[in-house]
Amino acid sequence: MSIYKTVENSINKWGSTIKISNNGEIYTCKGFIQPLRYKNNMYLGGKRLDAGYFDGGHYLFIAGAGTNLSCHGDAIIENGGKKYAVKRAESFVYGDRELYLWAILKPYVPPRKEDFVYERN
């Protein structure tokens, strides 16, 4: 079995059903969401933390090849009653084909009306 089929089968078998709202389009896929543990200052401006400790602020999302997050700035990902905003998304390419998609998520906070009020003095 090829590595492409092995990864696809693993995600489909053990992944959760994920709902993605992206640029007005809503669809589901299989994938994994887990807390992102920082080891150093490499990721997203994180601070150095003890091994095994995480701040709970960012998550890693893995989905199968073909998952569309091309306009990821507008994408909202839902799983288990929780919503996440996509900070960054890229496909992992092995050889000449996409193997899987990975993304960095943070908890989604809907915009508040107060965020858009402009007051003149």
Side-chain angles (χ1 to χ4, degrees), residues 46-117:
K47 59 185 177 190
R48 186 172 183 83
L49 301 172
D50 294 333
Y53 177 81
F54 63 96
D55 68 358
H58 292 91
Y59 299 83
L60 176 64
F61 172 57
I62 302 287
T67 303
N68 183 10
L69 286 179
S70 57
C71 299
H72 66 267
D74 298 329
I76 303 298
I77 295 182
E78 292 183 54
N79 178 252
K82 296 181 182 178
K83 292 185 178 183
Y84 305 92
V86 179
K87 290 193 73 162
R88 181 177 178 181
E90 289 186 23
S91 293
F92 180 82
V93 177
Y94 179 78
D96 59 348
R97 290 176 45 196
E98 180 183 8
L99 187 58
Y100 61 87
L101 174 111
W102 65 266
I104 304 298
L105 310 176
K106 67 179 195 173
Y108 174 72
V109 178
R112 300 176 305 169
K113 187 176 181 180
E114 303 85 50
D115 293 341
F116 300 100
V117 174

Side-chain angles (χ1 to χ4, degrees), residues 23-43:
N23 207 21
E25 186 179 332
I26 298 173
Y27 57 94
T28 60
C29 69
K30 291 286 194 167
F32 302 97
I33 297 176
Q34 68 178 32
L36 183 62
R37 291 163 173 81
Y38 299 124
K39 290 185 179 179
N40 52 34
N41 290 325
M42 287 176 50
Y43 303 106

Side-chain angles (χ1 to χ4, degrees), residues 1-11 14 99:
M1 183 182 299
S2 73
I3 189 168
Y4 304 102
K5 203 64 172 161
T6 301
V7 171
E8 179 183 358
N9 289 345
S10 297
I11 291 172
W14 291 296
L99 187 58

